[in-house]
Amino acid sequence: MIRSAVETAAAVRAGRLLAVDVVEQSLAAIAAGDGDLNAFNLVTADAARADARAIDEAVAAGRDPGPLAGVPIALKDNLCTRGIPTTCSSRILEGWLPPYDATVVTTLRAAGAISVGKTNLDEFAMGSSTENSAFGPTRNPHDHTRVPGGSSGGSAAAVGAGFVPLSLGSDTGGSIRQPASLCGVVGVKPSYGLVSRYGLVAFASSLDQIGPFAGSVADAALLLEVIAGHDPLDSTSIPDPVRPISTHLNDGVAGLRIGMVEEFMGDGIASDVRARVHAAAEALAAAGAEIGEASVPAAAYGLDAYYVIAPAEASSNLARYDAVRFGLRVDAATTPEMYDLTRTAGFGDEVKRRIMLGTYALSAGYYDAYYGTAQKVRSLIRRDFDLAYEKFDLLLSPASPTTAFAFGDKTSDPLTMYLNDVCTIPTNLAGHPAMSVPFGVGDDGLPIGVQLLGPMMSEPTMFRAAAVLEAGLEGSAGRAVAS
Amino acid sequence: MPERISAAEVASVARLARLTLTDAELETFTTQLGDILEHASQMAALDLSGVEPMGHPYGLVNVMRDDVVAAVVDRDEVLGSAPAAEAGMFRVPPVLGEQP
Amino acid sequence: MSELPNGWTMVIGLEVHTELLTSTKLFSGAPNHFGGEPNRHIDPTSLGLPGSLPVLNRTAVEMAIRIGLALNSTIQRSVFARKNYFYPDMPKDYQISQYELPIDLGGWLDLPSGERIGITRAHLEEDTGKSSHMGSGGGRIHDAEYTLIDYNRAGVPLLEIVSEPDLRTSAQARAYVSELRSILIAVGASDGKMEEGSMRADVNVSVRQGEDAPFGTRCEIKNVNSIRSLSRAIEYEARRQIDLLEAGERIRQETRHWNEDEGRTITLRSKEEATDYRYFPEPDLVELDPDPVWIEEIRAALPPLPAARRLALAAAAGCTAELSALVVERGLDPLVLAAVEAGGDPGRLVTHAVNNLADAGPDAVTASAFAQLSRLEADGQLTATQAKTVLAEMLSSGDGASEIAARLGYEAMAGGELESLADQLIADHPDDWATFCAGEQKVLGFFVGQAMKRTGGKADGKALSALLMARRG
């Protein structure tokens, strides 16, 4: 079992532990286990060691090394890291070196965290299994024949396997929460605008958010507090101060009204998953929460609206991959031919599918029926959530309809894969925060996470309930270590 | 809701998106896109009269910055990552035709 | 400009793009600076790098509001939108612009000659980079071997101002662009340098028979790089369309390229196969809804606009609208007004501003010095010719009018001197005097010329002429 981020930072700050030793331990675990898992696209061992030495020097000199001092962290490979390849697991960005750091990367460095590498994902964050990566899939640490979930499969697996205590992923339709559930770790999608998107390679701009993976609720809180906050480089960034989370973690849930979302507990959800959600409700009730039945009727149309809006924005966001300024170039006699050859060779099938879908949904004659309609449906979904939040402080649901599935199980038909996100997509559409908390295992012994949802900026409340669930867990289910 | 997407329309959006499809791909994608869009067209069942499209989830408006120069990127670093460069500029094959 | 034949008339609309004089780009803090080495004024956002995001420049918004107010537009809530198309000088392969909801809606501009031209809208958008087509083709795109792209200009703020199709002649079109340019310069939003590309005009032209017929099919003409080219391009295009229509053919709605060297428009592409730009609201930006208090502050701070300045000058100086327009165009009205205030002779001040200060700036001479010069002239101490010389000296030396007049030996002729001069001239040229008395007005010029010779230019020609005419009776 690796040391938690909270313990590591405290020990390094106090001089009881050397950052170089912590990093070495992490790098050794990766070297031993990642050959099988393929969680990492790139391990930046030398840079990590150098960063660790700098932290130890700072501590020795009596300077404040930051709240995450010495904590190893893995970064999803769609986060820009200056001078370090950032590929989005796509051929079209293979070897691309960004000339700038994402805001969260700068923030993490200032906080003393030590990045050990870039993790694998579904290409351009489009997928729910990491099988769409151009560099091979990542395996689930609990069962190597199964997927870790997606699109942030690498980041989820890296924490689930105990390589690092913390990692960052991104969530557009569930890409943090679903893999967190499948890998047995904590995964958080913050309120839209709470964490800066500057330097996150865009998939769907109005839905994307960066968020933490961690082995514990307290670790997730620590990381989220570091990366949250207003960024003048992101126009959609919330200017309000971040409400403290860690200091209220153990405030409990007495008197909180928590509703189980009817629309997320239907026939599409496996019975063992539903059972764990009910168990979670009981655990929360035992801790003093009032449990009820909640309904978000328009959420039933979440998939429909999402699979119009997200591809539409993606089709525009991915137009810049044109071989002119960066990335892959397939040479041609003319620029138009260069565009075609490069994009055809550089993008995988799922990316192409979504680009075409999105282009169609925005095109003249179809805009009103598809994109225009979807944006209105989105308003309805948000309205129905807001109505639910008049009756409840938090909502409860599965994070994934099933436990981890086998490779190839859901790749024959796109729609089958899309259904993995039926519980998570509506929150992205609404902009609200949500998190997946490990809560036991399924009939197959594989991890199941339950999802807590809350209104805008309700992270402190959400984390209180998460802490109760974590404390109420029997046994050590959900925290696998690489074997 | 519109009719099911045709192969010609898929070919057309592929062209718009600068993607070349093989015949097999065109067939497969036409089926897949048709299925997805058909599913999505269930939205037509909802009463959307008077519903406005969603804006920023936190209601932000008027986000602006002061007209002050901020750090630029290093040209050499950027051109070093470029597929082709010459004389401090990005180089591309002949463009053909005026911009749209 | 000649009339169109056979009762044809034109309908013209103009789309003018102006770069705004901000320090930084529309959506990022990279410098907005003309010239300099390629790709030095760039950042992740102006290069469209993965992960980059736009943030709106407040000063660009303020300038857009200034221009909107100056054009009598409504400043409204607006939304940025993506205009999607592939082109290498477009870093993101989409341009952030405004589509259904532009910042400025409606409005009008009055031409100096009085016609009111409607403004449809004005919206903010980002400029593209610049392509250089290389190889043996002499910079032309069609013969290029390869192209080099400089993104210094990519992201520079533009305001696109669209007129209603209210213009009817190429002269009006010229006047519109000229007046619009004056307004943009007056409010400090643009430097109006068409030759540098900071102001660009695309013109829509169609023709019809008579003034009340429905509008014909229009063509858009691009690459008009000066006000002079604008006239030529419009005239050419109108006649091209007339020739086609009179031959029984249809006008194809299309975009045409003005070729300055050949003096003609050529087909670029057909607008009927218009590119589908797939506009949708920009998700990386939030709505812009300027605070009414801010708008009023901007309105209160607007400087006087050219039309108002022309009226003010005409009223204060009692001069014609044409003369007033000339003085304001030169930016000399503040000087003339101040000189009038300081007791100068308005008529003479205006004349000097029009004739003798063409190349000087408004600070070339102080208001009081200018006023003094005009009074010396009005009092008869200096002739018009002498005053012109003195003024030129004032501009180069900075000395006062009286000083210079004394230095040059210009003294007023005493009242009686002029009378005795007239006597001498009549006595010395009796035949010419008789011809003049018989009605030959032209002989006056001869007498004035003689007077100038005799007095070394000191005689006041006008006064002498008046004297001689009075003598003749």
Side-chain angles (χ1 to χ4, degrees):
Chain A
M1 206 55 128
I2 55 160
R3 217 180 266 103
S4 74
V6 168
E7 284 165 29
T8 302
V12 168
R13 287 170 64 82
R16 288 184 272 114
L17 189 58
L18 287 176
V20 292
D21 290 338
V22 178
V23 163
E24 219 48 61
Q25 196 181 29
S26 173
L27 292 172
I30 295 169
D34 199 47
D36 290 331
L37 278 194
N38 195 37
F40 283 87
N41 285 346
L42 177 70
V43 179
T44 50
D46 292 338
R49 289 179 177 121
D51 288 346
R53 281 194 296 274
I55 294 291
D56 290 331
E57 276 162 29
V59 172
R63 295 194 301 272
D64 183 355
L68 285 175
V71 180
I73 186 166
L75 303 173
K76 187 174 182 180
D77 203 14
N78 60 356
L79 289 167
C80 286
T81 43
R82 185 176 179 183
I84 296 170
T86 300
T87 69
C88 301
S89 288
S90 176
R91 294 242 169 268
I92 218 167
L93 276 182
E94 202 168 358
W96 177 55
L97 302 180
Y100 76 107
D101 280 323
T103 296
V104 293
V105 171
T106 306
T107 304
L108 283 173
R109 188 178 302 115
I114 297 170
S115 172
V116 295
K118 308 298 290 296
T119 58
N120 198 14
L121 59 149
D122 281 298
E123 186 181 3
F124 282 107
M126 300 184 195
S128 310
S129 65
T130 314
E131 290 170 289
N132 292 331
S133 167
F135 308 135
T138 297
R139 301 183 184 286
N140 192 308
H142 299 268
D143 180 339
H144 293 195
T145 66
R146 306 213 175 215
V147 304
S151 61
S152 312
S155 281
V159 174
F163 295 161
V164 284
L166 298 176
S167 68
L168 282 186
S170 70
D171 189 312
T172 304
S175 292
I176 289 176
R177 294 159 285 159
Q178 184 254 19
S181 176
L182 270 50
C183 290
V185 298
V186 178
V188 185
K189 184 203 88 70
S191 305
Y192 182 85
L194 185 64
V195 178
S196 168
R197 288 185 299 119
Y198 187 76
L200 169 68
V201 177
F203 157 18
S205 314
S206 73
L207 302 165
D208 295 340
Q209 270 292 280
I210 298 169
F213 286 102
S216 71
V217 173
D219 277 5
L222 179 59
L223 178 51
L224 182 56
E225 283 173 319
V226 167
I227 61 175
H230 181 246
D231 183 10
L233 293 173
D234 175 355
S235 297
T236 59
S237 168
I238 292 174
D240 295 356
V242 179
R243 298 178 205 163
I245 304 170
S246 298
T247 46
H248 292 281
L249 264 186
N250 299 314
D251 285 5
V253 295
L256 281 186
R257 304 159 300 160
I258 302 179
M260 266 196 310
V261 182
E262 184 187 309
E263 287 79 14
F264 297 156
M265 293 288 273
D267 294 333
I269 311 298
S271 57
D272 53 357
V273 171
R274 265 185 281 147
R276 293 314 298 161
V277 176
H278 283 293
E282 280 160 30
L284 291 165
E290 288 168 34
I291 307 297
E293 287 277 315
S295 175
V296 185
Y301 295 90
L303 267 178
D304 302 325
Y306 178 83
Y307 278 103
V308 167
I309 293 171
E313 293 180 7
S315 70
S316 179
N317 284 328
L318 270 62
R320 70 192 68 207
Y321 302 102
D322 60 6
V324 175
R325 291 160 302 281
F326 49 83
L328 179 71
R329 174 182 290 193
V330 177
D331 280 306
T334 67
T335 286
E337 284 172 276
M338 178 184 77
Y339 289 153
D340 271 33
L341 290 171
T342 302
R343 291 166 64 82
T344 303
F347 288 138
D349 281 353
E350 184 60 35
V351 171
K352 285 179 181 166
R353 222 177 340 260
R354 297 201 196 191
I355 288 176
M356 290 189 290
L357 195 50
T359 305
Y360 185 71
L362 291 173
S363 57
Y366 294 110
Y367 180 97
D368 287 335
Y370 289 112
Y371 190 77
T373 296
Q375 286 286 39
K376 292 182 184 180
V377 170
R378 188 175 177 177
S379 290
L380 283 185
I381 293 172
R382 170 62 186 255
R383 186 201 64 186
D384 282 356
F385 267 116
D386 287 342
L387 287 170
Y389 289 125
E390 285 176 16
K391 299 199 198 116
F392 297 100
D393 300 300
L394 296 173
L395 299 175
L396 181 67
S397 82
S400 165
T402 63
T403 56
F405 45 92
F407 289 106
D409 256 9
K410 305 206 178 186
T411 49
S412 58
D413 167 31
L415 269 174
T416 312
M417 187 64 82
Y418 296 166
L419 287 168
N420 282 302
D421 293 326
V422 67
C423 301
T424 49
I425 274 172
T427 28
N428 297 84
L429 292 168
H432 289 145
M435 64 192 288
S436 178
V437 183
F439 204 70
V441 295
D443 298 337
D444 50 16
L446 291 172
I448 289 175
V450 297
Q451 179 177 225
L452 289 161
L453 306 84
M456 290 299 283
M457 303 293 265
S458 63
E459 281 83 351
T461 310
M462 207 169 62
F463 270 77
R464 280 162 54 190
V468 164
L469 287 177
E470 183 178 65
L473 250 191
E474 302 145 320
S476 61
R479 300 264 284 281
V481 177
S483 50
Chain B
M1 267 284 168
E3 286 182 11
R4 213 176 145 88
I5 191 173
S6 66
E9 287 175 313
V10 176
S12 170
V13 294
R15 263 196 308 277
L16 274 177
R18 308 300 170 139
L19 297 169
T20 303
L21 305 178
T22 63
D23 291 340
E25 284 173 330
L26 181 59
E27 207 184 308
T28 310
F29 283 142
T30 303
T31 309
Q32 291 174 338
L33 289 177
D35 290 342
I36 296 164
L37 288 165
E38 205 170 63
H39 199 284
S41 62
Q42 288 174 126
M43 293 189 285
L46 289 165
D47 178 12
L48 297 172
S49 48
V51 180
E52 287 297 304
M54 183 148 156
H56 188 281
Y58 205 59
L60 296 184
V61 288
N62 292 334
V63 175
M64 291 181 272
R65 63 177 173 84
D66 294 336
D67 187 25
V68 171
V69 175
V72 296
V73 283
D74 181 64
R75 182 176 88 176
D76 294 332
E77 193 175 348
V78 168
L79 289 178
S81 270
E86 181 181 299
M89 290 182 271
F90 296 85
R91 180 183 161 138
V92 295
V95 178
L96 294 194
E98 293 275 327
Q99 78 177 112
Chain C
M1 186 217 90
S2 48
E3 288 272 321
L4 294 176
N6 300 336
W8 289 99
T9 59
M10 311 180 203
V11 171
I12 302 163
L14 280 162
E15 287 169 20
V16 172
H17 288 80
T18 176
E19 287 180 3
L20 299 178
L21 286 174
T22 55
S23 302
T24 61
K25 297 187 176 182
L26 184 55
F27 295 117
S28 77
N32 173 9
H33 181 76
F34 181 77
E37 282 184 44
N39 291 309
R40 290 284 183 212
H41 305 142
I42 56 172
D43 61 4
T45 298
S46 45
L47 284 178
L49 294 184
S52 61
L53 291 173
V55 185
L56 182 59
N57 182 334
R58 181 179 297 107
T59 300
V61 175
E62 188 190 314
M63 290 186 178
I65 294 174
R66 273 191 227 161
I67 294 170
L69 293 172
L71 294 177
N72 308 290
S73 312
T74 304
I75 313 300
Q76 61 171 12
R77 177 186 140 248
S78 63
V79 172
F80 287 94
R82 293 191 185 178
K83 180 180 182 182
N84 297 282
Y85 65 92
F86 282 86
Y87 203 77
D89 68 6
M90 286 287 312
K92 300 182 292 296
D93 293 292
Y94 60 84
Q95 177 195 39
I96 303 179
S97 176
Q98 296 185 309
Y99 184 54
E100 289 178 339
L101 287 172
I103 183 170
D104 299 332
L105 189 67
W108 67 86
L109 176 157
D110 289 333
L111 301 180
S113 46
E115 294 89 352
R116 173 158 291 189
I117 308 300
I119 304 288
T120 311
R121 53 179 274 159
H123 71 259
L124 283 164
E125 60 183 31
E126 48 181 356
D127 207 347
T128 64
K130 270 207 192 133
S131 308
S132 304
H133 304 297
M134 312 297 285
S136 48
R140 282 191 306 277
I141 194 171
H142 301 285
D143 308 311
E145 284 165 28
Y146 61 97
T147 297
L148 296 178
I149 324 264
D150 171 17
Y151 293 102
N152 279 352
R153 196 183 67 181
V156 163
L158 291 177
L159 192 74
E160 178 178 331
I161 303 163
V162 182
S163 82
E164 292 286 325
D166 290 347
L167 299 158
R168 294 287 174 268
T169 66
S170 61
Q172 281 184 357
R174 287 180 65 142
Y176 172 87
V177 174
S178 191
E179 181 70 357
L180 180 58
R181 186 174 166 276
S182 301
I183 291 171
L184 295 175
I185 292 172
V187 302
S190 173
D191 61 16
K193 292 186 183 165
M194 285 183 81
E195 68 285 0
E196 274 178 17
S198 61
M199 192 172 136
R200 304 160 216 163
D202 294 333
V203 54
N204 288 292
V205 181
S206 66
V207 294
R208 59 180 176 172
Q209 286 263 298
E211 309 257 317
D212 297 310
F215 288 178
T217 304
R218 70 171 192 268
C219 290
E220 183 183 17
I221 307 171
K222 284 175 132 35
N223 198 45
V224 172
N225 295 327
S226 67
I227 294 185
R228 190 179 148 269
S229 298
L230 184 66
S231 286
R232 296 180 66 213
I234 291 172
E235 293 292 330
Y236 173 87
E237 180 59 21
R239 281 171 174 73
R240 183 191 75 87
Q241 292 187 12
I242 289 168
D243 289 345
L244 279 173
L245 289 169
E246 287 188 336
E249 299 192 36
R250 264 186 51 213
I251 305 297
R252 206 173 47 185
Q253 183 178 19
E254 59 183 352
T255 299
R256 298 177 70 86
H257 179 99
W258 169 248
N259 186 312
E260 181 69 33
D261 297 330
E262 295 177 31
R264 62 192 189 99
T265 62
I266 53 182
T267 307
L268 265 189
R269 67 179 178 275
S270 170
K271 254 195 158 148
E272 276 160 337
E273 297 155 11
T275 311
D276 180 5
Y277 292 118
R278 304 183 298 288
Y279 284 100
F280 69 102
E282 170 58 80
D284 287 328
L285 293 172
V286 299
E287 275 185 16
L288 178 60
D289 197 5
D291 184 356
V293 171
W294 187 35
I295 297 173
E296 284 317 303
E297 282 170 10
I298 296 170
R299 190 196 303 275
L302 278 180
L305 296 176
R309 287 162 63 183
R310 288 193 293 264
L311 284 175
L313 180 64
C319 62
T320 63
E322 287 81 12
L323 287 178
S324 180
L326 277 171
V327 176
V328 170
E329 196 179 298
R330 300 223 174 100
L332 294 172
D333 49 312
L335 173 62
V336 171
L337 285 170
V340 168
E341 193 92 356
D345 177 86
R348 286 182 169 82
L349 290 169
V350 170
T351 305
H352 281 302
V354 170
N355 294 339
N356 304 325
L357 288 178
D359 299 322
D363 301 320
V365 63
T366 67
S368 53
F370 197 27
Q372 196 206 19
L373 174 71
S374 70
R375 277 199 307 278
L376 288 176
E377 227 185 308
D379 294 342
Q381 311 245 15
L382 290 174
T383 65
T385 320
Q386 287 171 335
K388 177 171 176 164
T389 312
V390 170
L391 181 57
E393 247 315 293
M394 285 167 75
L395 291 178
S396 56
S397 69
D399 293 333
S402 304
E403 261 185 84
I404 296 172
R407 200 159 62 219
L408 293 176
Y410 292 157
E411 289 141 359
M413 285 183 72
E417 279 187 56
L418 202 62
E419 294 271 355
S420 34
L421 177 62
D423 292 338
Q424 280 174 38
L425 290 170
I426 294 168
D428 293 343
H429 305 280
D431 298 326
D432 297 286
W433 178 247
T435 316
F436 176 60
C437 289
E440 263 302 331
Q441 200 69 2
K442 287 190 298 195
V443 185
L444 260 184
F446 166 75
F447 278 115
V448 171
Q450 286 298 305
M452 289 303 176
K453 268 206 218 150
R454 289 194 195 212
T455 64
K458 271 200 215 168
D460 184 341
K462 266 170 133 173
L464 180 65
S465 301
L467 240 182
L468 292 173
M469 299 224 292
R471 287 275 184 99
R472 180 182 66 177

